[in-house]
Amino acid sequence: MGTGKRGLLAAAVTVVCAVTVLGAPGTAFASPSPTPSPTASSTTPPLPSTASNKDLEAVRTKLEALYHDAAVATDAYNAAEEAAKKQSAEIVELAKKIVAGQEKLDDLKDRAGAAARAQYRTGGLPDEAQLMLTDDPSEFLDGAGRVLQGQRATKGLIGELTRTQQDLEQYSKDASTQWQKLEAGRKTKAAAQKKIEKQIAAAEKLESQLEKKEKERLEQLEAQVALEAQTAWLDTGVLDEINSAASVQGKKAVQFATAQIGKPYVWGAEGPDSFDCSGLTSEAWKSAGQAIPRTSQEQWKQLPHIAVEDMRPGDLIIYFDDASHVALYVGDGSIIHAPRPGRTVTLAGAGTMPILGVVRPDA
């Protein structure tokens, strides 16, 4: 984009940060940053310096910690959910193999039984003994060939029976292992869910204790903190370096994310009516034809890392030292993300949270 357009959109994002509640992690997780420039800070009137404001800052900090812990637990929940899907699919495939193997084993046993019954009908003598009792040379030669064929067939049948039994035993062991993993994953998911619900309930209880005017002032404080963080990030001149155009897939991912603006955050959600942070980014890239990991932590671990100054629209920005939040970069210093419970998918400044790094799904 041109310099003029870049400046206008960057300014627009700054104004959004100043006059709206961008949501956590965008605001609830952001740490106070250096004082913004006079131009930026004039957008939001300063809050009165009173004891109650200090109390509100303590509330904001507490909410930040609660929602951050909920975000970490959500990542653990999502990871356990993905593992459960994979393990369940593997168990289904193993079950199919066990059924097929059992059918094969039954068939082999029937064939072995038929061979035994045939031997019984010939007087119980093996083919070799019957061969030695014949006086006809031509019959002897024909019989010799049949004996060799029979020996090979019997040996092959026994070998196949043995291999099939071994396969069935291994399939059973593998299925048992997957069941154990599935059960462990269920416990992990249940523990994560319990923690999520506990942290969110504590945050909601804390917010419910505020009067209407206090809530409004808390929102103003959150917006001011977000503005300070975004302004400090922009003041580094980072946008002067970021000028790469989006890829075809990146444009599709941005279009998907943009269409979700206004939908509520729900932990563990992957759409279409609600999302959590990594649910939004993974679905955005899925819509662009690129499968990526479900969780923000795995997106950080598995996807190629890109320098911040080289990022382009569609790239994912990973936030916080524990990679507990992710957003889709849409250009000109802004992101689209699903912030936290109680908020909706929204446009925010890319610098409103501490950036861990950037990853590119279609590198």
Side-chain angles (χ1 to χ4, degrees):
M1 295 185 181
T3 304
K5 186 176 180 182
R6 183 185 306 281
L8 286 173
L9 187 48
V13 171
T14 301
V15 172
V16 170
C17 291
V19 299
T20 64
V21 183
L22 298 179
T27 56
F29 292 178
S31 299
S33 301
T35 303
S37 62
T39 302
S41 62
S42 63
T43 310
T44 302
L47 293 171
S49 178
T50 63
S52 60
N53 285 334
K54 292 181 180 179
D55 292 339
L56 284 177
E57 173 57 25
V59 169
R60 188 196 68 79
T61 301
K62 180 63 176 176
L63 288 173
E64 174 184 307
L66 289 170
Y67 282 122
H68 178 265
D69 286 348
V72 174
T74 297
D75 228 34
Y77 177 92
N78 290 336
E81 177 71 12
E82 287 301 293
K85 290 179 182 177
K86 182 179 179 181
Q87 288 152 7
S88 295
E90 289 177 354
I91 289 171
V92 169
E93 289 304 311
L94 286 167
K96 291 179 180 178
K97 289 181 178 180
I98 289 172
V99 170
Q102 189 61 57
E103 290 175 349
K104 181 179 179 181
L105 187 62
D106 291 343
D107 178 64
L108 290 170
K109 287 180 177 179
D110 287 343
R111 288 164 57 189
R117 288 191 296 273
Q119 183 175 337
Y120 177 79
R121 285 195 299 270
T122 59
L125 292 175
D127 289 340
E128 294 91 334
Q130 294 184 46
L131 182 61
M132 296 303 294
L133 296 175
T134 183
D135 293 327
D136 188 338
S138 61
E139 186 177 340
F140 180 90
L141 292 175
D142 291 341
R146 289 195 300 273
V147 167
L148 290 174
Q149 290 176 351
Q151 288 175 339
R152 286 194 292 267
T154 301
K155 184 177 180 181
L157 182 61
I158 293 173
E160 196 169 0
L161 271 166
T162 302
R163 287 192 298 272
T164 301
Q165 288 175 325
Q166 290 173 342
D167 287 344
L168 283 171
E169 289 175 2
Q170 187 60 52
Y171 295 154
S172 297
K173 289 179 182 178
D174 291 344
S176 177
T177 299
Q178 291 304 325
W179 274 114
Q180 291 173 1
K181 289 181 179 179
L182 187 61
E183 183 60 26
R186 284 172 178 159
K187 292 179 180 178
T188 298
K189 192 168 75 168
Q193 179 174 347
K194 185 176 180 180
K195 183 173 183 180
I196 293 166
E197 293 171 344
K198 179 181 179 182
Q199 300 304 99
I200 292 176
E204 291 175 343
K205 181 178 179 181
L206 182 60
E207 289 181 296
S208 70
Q209 295 171 352
L210 299 174
E211 299 292 337
K212 181 179 179 180
K213 288 185 178 180
E214 289 176 328
K215 289 180 180 179
E216 292 174 351
R217 289 170 56 219
L218 177 62
E219 291 177 355
Q220 186 181 17
L221 177 60
E222 289 176 337
Q224 181 174 325
V225 170
L227 172 63
E228 290 174 352
Q230 175 71 356
T231 302
W233 185 68
L234 293 175
D235 284 348
T236 65
V238 64
L239 285 189
D240 296 335
E241 303 293 331
I242 302 174
N243 53 20
S244 299
S247 65
V248 173
Q249 284 184 302
K251 288 180 181 178
K252 291 180 179 179
V254 170
Q255 289 170 353
F256 177 91
T258 302
Q260 312 314 312
I261 289 177
K263 293 184 178 180
Y265 175 104
V266 174
W267 60 268
E270 301 175 77
D273 299 323
S274 58
F275 297 88
D276 62 20
C277 69
S278 58
L280 176 65
T281 55
S282 60
E283 288 299 304
W285 273 97
K286 181 180 179 181
S287 75
Q290 183 74 36
I292 64 173
R294 169 65 176 86
T295 69
S296 59
Q297 292 178 346
E298 288 304 310
Q299 289 170 3
W300 174 243
K301 289 178 183 177
Q302 297 185 34
L303 299 178
H305 291 201
I306 302 296
V308 173
E309 59 269 21
D310 294 330
M311 70 179 174
R312 64 193 186 194
D315 288 346
L316 306 182
I317 304 181
I318 310 296
Y319 292 96
F320 307 104
D321 290 342
D322 54 8
S324 58
H325 190 66
V326 60
L328 191 81
Y329 183 64
V330 296
D332 295 297
S334 58
I335 57 172
I336 291 176
H337 70 148
R340 52 93 159 166
R343 303 293 164 83
T344 61
V345 176
T346 188
L347 178 74
T352 55
M353 298 167 281
I355 295 174
L356 176 62
V358 179
V359 295
R360 178 167 296 164
D362 62 339

